[in-house]
Amino acid sequence: MIEVKGLHKSFGDAHILKGIDTFFEKGKTSLVIGQSGSGKTVFIKCLLGLFSYEKGTISYDGKIFSELSEDQKRDLRAEIGMVFQGSALFDSMTIQENVMFPLQMFTKMSKSEMEDRADFVLKRVNLDDAHYKMPSEASGGMQKRVAIARAIVNNPKYLFCDEPNSGLDPKTAIVIDNLIQEITDEYNIVTVINSHDMNSVMEIGEKIVFLQYGLKEWEGSKDTIFKTDNKAVTDFVYSSELFKKVRKMYLEEKQ
Amino acid sequence: MIVFFTLAVTKLNMTYINNIGLYFLMIKEMFRKPTKWSVMKGLILKDIDDLVIGSLGIVAFISFFVGGVITIQTALNITNPLIPRYLVGFATRQSVILEFAPTFTSIIMAGKVGSFITSSIGTMRVTEQIDALEVMGINSLNYLVFPKTVAMMLYPFAIAIGMFLGILGGMAACVYGGYTTLEDYITGVQMDFDGFHMTYSFLKTFVFAFILATIPSFHGYYMKGGALEVGKASTTSFVWTSVVIILLNYILTDMLLG
Ligand SMILES: Nc1ncnc2c1ncn2[C@@H]1O[C@H](COP(=O)(O)OP(=O)(O)O)[C@@H](O)[C@H]1O
Ligand SMILES: [Mg+2]
């Protein structure tokens, strides 16, 4: 479980996060949603310790992150998988080497074992013919999938995804969402996903945190988000006509 | 007005002092939590190839021709018949070994090797690859900067080749241009050879090699912004690397020879 208490983060005069309290549980896919620029990326980078913050505590299974030594932080991070918004693949390595990289760094596997494991995870993200391409030769969607494969290759305990399906076609996006949910269930890990994609929210949001103006405006799940009267949430979630209709139908059905 | 000016200057100085502090912290951090040797070995070999072997061509080319030019200039400027002709060889040797090969070449390398290092690390910073390393629990400074620093410890070999070719270039210019005879040039090159000059020169080169690896890394690693800033960081890195090399050259020369 990851617990966040009173998290404040500013860049100079810009106060981006103004006291966030929440928690993310094991075996659940948690979504952090909010408009572009609402601080989702900053939030996730604070959780990972990539940004320092002025106030607040973040704890991983009871261990307060800021109180760990640099080496303890690195040991903890070896158990974290992260998918960056821009994929962040190493561009001097092939796709296969990218996926094998965490194994090479943190396990004693032989080369063939690593290759087998890389094959396995690449298949899971529907990529089995791109092993020897360089990241620059892959499309954005392929890069995202490689990034997911790299994040899960070493069986992380905590998985973070920053907009994992932005830039993907709707079909692949659903495959990726389901994949992330399956992995979360199967390995009983803590998964936190940043998203502004409503499909994901409806599909996999077992817990949803809605950020607005630096505050946690609302918290719930994909079931409660239909019923909420919170205007900020409904404005954001049902901004498209399609979702307005879906909500209306859903509420009528319930009556 | 004066208060404002003092404040501005103090603020400026603070950033310099902060950066110098950050630079030394970076050096310290670079040695902590080392990357697995099996991985590090590959990184070092790759950097030797990119940084040192990849620079041999330009070092050889420049050394040979600048050696030639030094010889011609010296020969043309010695017009007094009382000065022996072998002085041309002597002067070439001294300038090539003491200054041209170690210092001048290093300034050129600040442009070549330095901007390569800054832009490759800077690109990794802006595309979040450094964050990706850190999130995996890897000491990114050790992973990125340490192999470059180790690889650059072979840079003095490139300089040794540069010294040899500089003197050879001088010889070629001298003989083909008809400025002195081959015998005179060789006598000059061998005259009054002081072994400590070599020690001094290579000591400098090692220091410069360290600077060439670390200052550009610093500018790449701590840069902020996007692709445009990568270009700016490379330029700033070149300026600072050259300035530091020139200053250290002065200090080391004063300490060791003065
Ligand atoms: N490194 C940074 N320096 C200064 N401001 C930043 C930085 N990163 C993000 N911000 C600001 O923080 C706000 C939130 O950004 P971000 O978390 O990226 O939004 P999003 O919800 O789209 O992921 C934005 O206003 C952005 O300008
Ligand atoms: Mg973002």
Side-chain angles (χ1 to χ4, degrees):
Chain A
M1 178 151 104
I2 301 174
E3 269 180 292
V4 184
K5 289 205 188 102
L7 182 65
H8 283 263
K9 168 70 186 167
S10 313
F11 292 105
D13 294 334
H15 203 168
I16 308 292
L17 301 177
K18 302 172 186 163
I20 309 277
D21 296 274
T22 190
F23 60 91
F24 303 108
E25 288 169 296
K26 256 190 182 174
K28 270 193 183 177
T29 36
S30 308
L31 261 62
V32 178
I33 61 171
Q35 274 176 353
S36 176
S38 59
K40 302 183 295 292
T41 301
V42 172
F43 177 66
I44 224 170
K45 287 196 174 175
C46 287
L47 293 189
L48 292 165
L50 290 173
F51 282 152
S52 59
Y53 39 89
E54 295 84 55
K55 258 201 277 180
T57 54
I58 292 165
S59 59
Y60 283 75
D61 292 319
K63 285 176 280 191
I64 297 179
F65 192 83
S66 56
E67 289 174 1
L68 300 178
S69 71
E70 282 301 307
D71 288 348
Q72 285 171 321
K73 279 181 192 166
R74 294 203 167 105
D75 290 339
L76 174 67
R77 282 170 171 174
E79 302 186 321
I80 293 178
M82 166 78 186
V83 178
F84 285 87
Q85 199 161 355
S87 298
L89 300 178
F90 302 120
D91 38 34
S92 58
M93 301 178 195
T94 64
I95 283 176
Q96 189 193 38
E97 286 166 345
N98 262 285
V99 176
M100 279 164 41
F101 186 78
L103 301 176
Q104 211 180 355
M105 297 306 274
F106 297 107
T107 68
K108 293 195 168 71
M109 286 186 183
S110 70
K111 188 141 193 290
S112 67
E113 284 172 313
M114 286 195 266
E115 283 169 358
D116 288 347
R117 177 75 190 150
D119 277 351
F120 176 77
V121 286
L122 281 170
K123 273 214 185 76
R124 280 202 80 160
V125 294
N126 292 335
L127 268 184
D128 34 22
D129 53 351
H131 290 45
Y132 304 110
K133 281 201 169 121
M134 299 307 279
S136 57
E137 298 164 345
S139 69
M142 274 162 89
Q143 291 182 6
K144 269 277 157 61
R145 284 183 277 166
V146 177
I148 292 171
R150 184 178 69 181
I152 61 174
V153 72
N154 199 16
N155 295 324
K157 272 170 123 178
Y158 314 95
L159 179 63
F160 296 88
C161 307
D162 197 357
E163 316 242 352
N165 46 27
S166 68
L168 297 184
D169 59 278
K171 209 173 147 198
T172 316
I174 289 173
V175 171
I176 296 288
D177 279 346
N178 290 338
L179 173 74
I180 294 173
Q181 188 165 40
E182 268 169 46
I183 293 164
T184 308
D185 278 351
E186 196 176 321
Y187 300 109
N188 196 28
I189 58 180
V190 182
T191 300
V192 182
I193 304 171
N194 276 353
S195 185
H196 58 228
D197 179 16
M198 279 312 119
N199 282 318
S200 312
V201 173
M202 301 309 172
E203 196 79 36
I204 57 171
E206 291 178 276
K207 166 164 184 151
I208 298 167
V209 177
F210 178 66
L211 294 186
Q212 195 178 40
Y213 308 125
L215 292 167
K216 182 180 79 179
E217 176 66 37
W218 183 84
E219 190 173 54
S221 70
K222 63 181 173 186
D223 302 317
T224 56
I225 205 165
F226 273 117
K227 296 171 213 155
T228 179
D229 297 327
N230 186 311
K231 185 152 168 9
V233 178
T234 47
D235 280 355
F236 177 71
V237 176
Y238 306 107
S239 50
S240 91
E241 286 305 316
L242 178 65
F243 277 112
K244 275 185 192 135
K245 278 188 196 138
V246 172
R247 180 170 191 244
K248 223 173 113 203
M249 277 159 62
Y250 176 88
L251 290 176
E252 278 165 6
E253 218 172 79
K254 282 272 146 131
Q255 278 162 9
Chain B
M1 185 65 201
I2 289 171
V3 173
F4 178 75
F5 188 72
T6 328
L7 271 177
V9 170
T10 326
K11 190 143 185 277
L12 205 67
N13 281 338
M14 281 315 287
T15 27
Y16 282 142
I17 292 168
N18 277 345
N19 280 344
I20 293 170
L22 193 59
Y23 171 77
F24 285 107
L25 284 177
M26 176 191 92
I27 307 278
K28 188 171 140 240
E29 186 65 20
M30 180 171 107
F31 293 100
R32 290 192 52 255
K33 187 134 192 217
T35 308
K36 259 177 147 169
W37 177 240
S38 58
V39 176
M40 184 52 81
K41 207 169 53 188
L43 295 173
I44 293 176
L45 289 177
K46 185 168 180 305
D47 282 331
I48 291 177
D49 196 33
D50 282 346
L51 304 178
V52 181
I53 298 183
S55 302
L56 286 181
I58 182 96
V59 169
F61 175 79
I62 294 174
S63 303
F64 189 82
F65 284 99
V66 173
V69 169
I70 293 174
T71 307
I72 296 173
Q73 295 284 22
T74 320
L76 289 178
N77 283 291
I78 301 178
T79 44
N80 188 332
L82 289 179
I83 300 174
R85 295 311 286 177
Y86 60 70
L87 204 69
V88 176
F90 177 77
T92 307
R93 184 198 77 201
Q94 290 300 78
S95 17
V96 167
I97 289 182
L98 293 178
E99 289 308 325
F100 171 73
T103 315
F104 193 75
T105 314
S106 295
I107 300 291
I108 291 165
M109 286 301 112
K112 186 188 182 290
V113 171
S115 62
F116 172 77
I117 293 179
T118 307
S119 58
S120 60
I121 296 185
T123 306
M124 291 188 72
R125 168 61 76 196
V126 303
T127 56
E128 298 181 309
Q129 293 176 52
I130 293 183
D131 286 342
L133 286 170
E134 283 293 326
V135 164
M136 287 177 195
I138 294 163
N139 179 355
S140 56
L141 279 172
N142 177 265
Y143 184 87
L144 295 170
V145 185
F146 182 75
K148 292 183 173 50
T149 312
V150 173
M152 282 303 279
M153 292 301 117
L154 290 183
Y155 172 69
F157 283 104
I159 295 306
I161 294 173
M163 288 176 179
F164 175 76
L165 287 175
I167 293 171
L168 199 72
M171 191 170 85
C174 217
V175 176
Y176 287 113
Y179 297 104
T180 62
T181 59
L182 181 62
E183 287 72 34
D184 273 350
Y185 187 82
I186 291 177
T187 314
V189 166
Q190 291 176 332
M191 206 177 72
D192 284 340
F193 184 76
D194 183 348
F196 184 69
H197 284 172
M198 281 306 227
T199 316
Y200 153 79
S201 193
F202 279 106
L203 218 69
K204 282 209 302 202
T205 312
F206 270 110
V207 174
F208 296 162
F210 187 79
I211 297 298
L212 281 171
T214 51
I215 292 189
S217 297
F218 174 83
H219 281 92
Y221 191 86
Y222 292 104
M223 65 153 296
K224 292 195 170 73
L228 183 65
E229 281 78 10
V230 175
K232 284 185 190 154
S234 302
T235 314
T236 323
S237 145
F238 170 70
V239 172
W240 281 110
T241 312
S242 322
V243 166
V244 171
I245 287 179
I246 301 273
L247 283 179
L248 283 177
N249 186 38
Y250 177 80
I251 295 171
L252 286 172
T253 307
D254 192 45
M255 264 169 46
L256 294 171
L257 297 183

